[in-house]
Amino acid sequence: VDTIDGTTRQKLIDIHVDDWWQGVEIRVPVRFVVPLDGTVEGFIISGSGLNEESDGDTPVSASDRVALDAGAGVVTTKIRALNPDHYPNLPPPGVLQARFAETLDWRYTEYYLWGAIMMRSITAAFDDELFLPGPVIAYGNSKNGMTPLIASIHDERVTAVRSTHAFTTYTPIRAHEPTAIADVESANEAFAAARADGLPQGDQEWSYYGKGFSNIVEAATTIGWTADEVLTAIDRFADDLYVSENWDELTKRGVEIFSIPGSHDWVAYDVPGTGAILPGLRTYIVPNGGHARNGHPEAPNKNVDAAFFAEQLAGVDRGLETPEVSTVVKGDTLEVTVTFPDGGVPEESKIFWMYDRGPDGSAWYLYDLFPVENWAVMSGKGGVWTAAIPLEAGRTSIDIVTTHTVTVDGRVVPISAPYTRVPIN
């Protein structure tokens, strides 16, 4: 029985994951939390926030309580950056990266190990007599957002995922298509020149803007691989990493995914392409959201855990489905229409816009934000909402993000239409 408020039973165990690196046994802690009485059917699982102290119980959050009240358990493991501080006896990160460059085998990446940790933790939970078969809802942010998505591809026990600041889609820039790479490289050269000319520092340290797209082809060819060999390898492990490449199978299995990528994040740096390839993916795009970024002050709150758990475990309504968005340029005005399927009716809709954004993954893409003043409440009735944006002269493109909210069981649940980039003639 926990020593905090005596409302749960908790167990901290240590499990073997994999002999991932020769001569190094990877072991991680896993914490189980269940109600005071009885068994649970399924659980929520994350790789963050684990208290490793053997005698230190963990407080139960409001979203954890939703799972426990629904008769599910709470499982937490440790998914951290790959270095000896977190996983003893591993070599330095540079050695790990060099092995991947030498082999072009995604087994020598953090993504493989993180997925293995989550899947082994799921096995450990179901090996416990108190955890009966049931839903497995995996969730988290950044590395703990990417891991559940990868695990859902490889582990049929995962039934739902809530991911934040994580990639989902094999877009042209991730496939290293020549045109996409050329656009990014050209934009980054211009960014470097602008910095040299005194570009003001943005809302983040300069290093933030360099964390977007990196040219794996260029790095690997310097050690002897041909460009074709690298591109073949990238395409090969895309099936293991990207939801888009497994969308039909995941849909057939009934896996529910709620993605919160942020519009300005260095991990999910290709949100515009994602919206075009996976328009049915339930997504809330936080305008100006990303690592170390809270988002636009008018953006709805992104904390959807409790609502998502209630939906998956207690049968609470799921809120709004992904709407369609259409745009028309009429003279000096952009007309935007958002239409919801299945009778969906938002309580409030907003639109945010910015001009001439840099290409996906470039430094400019991460640097230029949606201006604080560039937002409006959309007009709507029922499932159709509209906005008219006066266009600034001399602009070549305009990017728009919409946000729509509905209250479900006392909780505000946001969703967005697919990110849309409109050329202006």
Side-chain angles (χ1 to χ4, degrees):
V1 177
D2 75 75
T3 57
I4 298 172
D5 56 18
T7 63
T8 64
R9 288 169 290 170
Q10 302 193 11
K11 179 192 292 186
L12 183 69
I13 67 171
D14 187 62
I15 67 169
H16 168 77
V17 176
D18 194 3
D19 297 317
W20 178 71
W21 191 263
Q22 184 175 359
V24 179
E25 181 187 32
I26 301 294
R27 301 188 68 84
V28 298
V30 184
R31 180 177 292 277
F32 303 149
V33 181
V34 298
L36 281 178
D37 299 309
T39 57
V40 294
E41 295 182 3
F43 48 87
I44 61 175
I45 180 169
S46 181
S48 63
L50 186 141
N51 182 349
E52 295 182 53
E53 308 235 353
S54 60
D55 58 350
D57 296 321
T58 188
V60 175
S61 68
S63 55
D64 288 347
R65 185 63 64 186
V66 170
L68 294 170
D69 289 346
V74 176
V75 177
T76 311
T77 186
K78 184 175 77 169
I79 294 172
R80 307 286 289 277
L82 297 194
N83 61 55
D85 290 339
H86 298 145
Y87 302 100
N89 302 318
L90 275 182
V95 175
L96 303 177
Q97 294 163 5
R99 177 63 62 86
F100 170 65
E102 292 166 5
T103 63
L104 295 181
D105 185 344
W106 87 285
R107 285 178 60 93
Y108 296 109
T109 69
E110 55 207 358
Y111 304 126
Y112 182 89
L113 181 59
W114 289 341
I117 291 171
M118 177 156 282
M119 289 185 280
R120 280 288 297 115
S121 298
I122 292 171
T123 297
F126 280 134
D127 279 348
D128 189 281
E129 62 183 6
L130 297 182
F131 285 78
L132 303 181
V136 175
I137 296 94
Y139 70 102
N141 171 61
S142 189
K143 63 181 66 68
N144 287 291
M146 289 181 281
T147 300
L149 292 167
I150 294 169
S152 73
I153 294 169
H154 299 276
D155 193 332
E156 293 187 358
R157 297 171 298 182
V158 177
T159 58
V161 173
R162 193 281 291 154
S163 69
T164 298
H165 303 154
F167 55 70
T168 57
T169 308
Y170 192 43
T171 57
I173 188 64
R174 295 190 185 276
H176 287 68
E177 292 186 4
T179 300
I181 292 174
D183 288 345
V184 170
E185 291 178 341
S186 176
N188 285 347
E189 289 175 3
F191 186 81
R195 278 195 64 186
D197 288 340
L199 181 71
Q201 185 165 332
D203 68 325
Q204 301 293 333
E205 298 294 329
W206 287 115
S207 61
Y208 186 99
Y209 311 116
K211 288 183 177 180
F213 171 78
S214 60
N215 196 332
I216 300 173
V217 177
E218 181 177 324
T221 53
T222 61
I223 64 171
W225 294 102
T226 68
D228 285 344
E229 288 172 329
V230 182
L231 291 173
T232 298
I234 290 172
D235 194 59
R236 183 175 64 244
F237 57 69
D239 289 344
D240 292 314
L241 294 179
Y242 296 104
V243 163
S244 63
E245 305 309 284
N246 299 272
W247 185 249
D248 290 344
E249 178 61 26
L250 291 168
T251 300
K252 182 178 178 181
R253 282 170 40 202
V255 179
E256 294 285 354
I257 299 176
F258 196 114
S259 174
I260 309 176
S263 69
H264 283 70
D265 189 74
W266 50 265
V267 173
Y269 56 67
D270 49 357
V271 174
T274 295
I277 295 171
L278 284 180
L281 176 68
R282 274 202 293 173
T283 304
Y284 169 40
I285 304 168
V286 182
N288 296 344
H291 278 76
R293 285 176 158 160
N294 293 325
H296 193 284
E298 293 297 329
N301 191 293
K302 66 180 179 181
N303 186 4
V304 302
D305 284 355
F308 191 63
F309 298 160
E311 169 197 318
Q312 296 299 315
L313 298 170
V316 173
D317 187 80
R318 55 192 277 132
L320 300 167
E321 300 297 332
T322 302
E324 295 181 352
V325 58
S326 62
T327 60
V328 178
V329 176
K330 290 188 176 180
D332 58 358
T333 301
L334 175 69
E335 295 183 355
V336 181
T337 302
V338 175
T339 306
F340 284 84
D342 305 323
V345 179
E347 296 164 355
E348 183 177 62
S349 296
K350 297 178 180 179
I351 188 167
F352 304 79
W353 64 92
M354 66 183 299
Y355 293 99
D356 299 334
R357 190 174 188 186
D360 295 2
S362 68
W364 286 118
Y365 177 88
L366 297 173
Y367 178 87
D368 288 327
L369 299 173
F370 286 91
V372 172
E373 66 275 15
N374 283 15
W375 75 280
V377 175
M378 302 182 73
S379 301
K381 183 178 181 181
V384 180
W385 291 70
T386 62
I389 302 172
L391 295 172
E392 294 181 4
R395 300 291 192 171
T396 60
S397 67
I398 182 171
D399 287 21
I400 59 173
V401 166
T402 65
T403 66
H404 313 272
T405 55
V406 66
T407 303
V408 179
D409 200 28
R411 304 181 181 96
V412 176
V413 184
I415 200 167
S416 294
Y419 189 111
T420 302
R421 179 169 294 158
V422 183
I424 304 173
N425 295 325

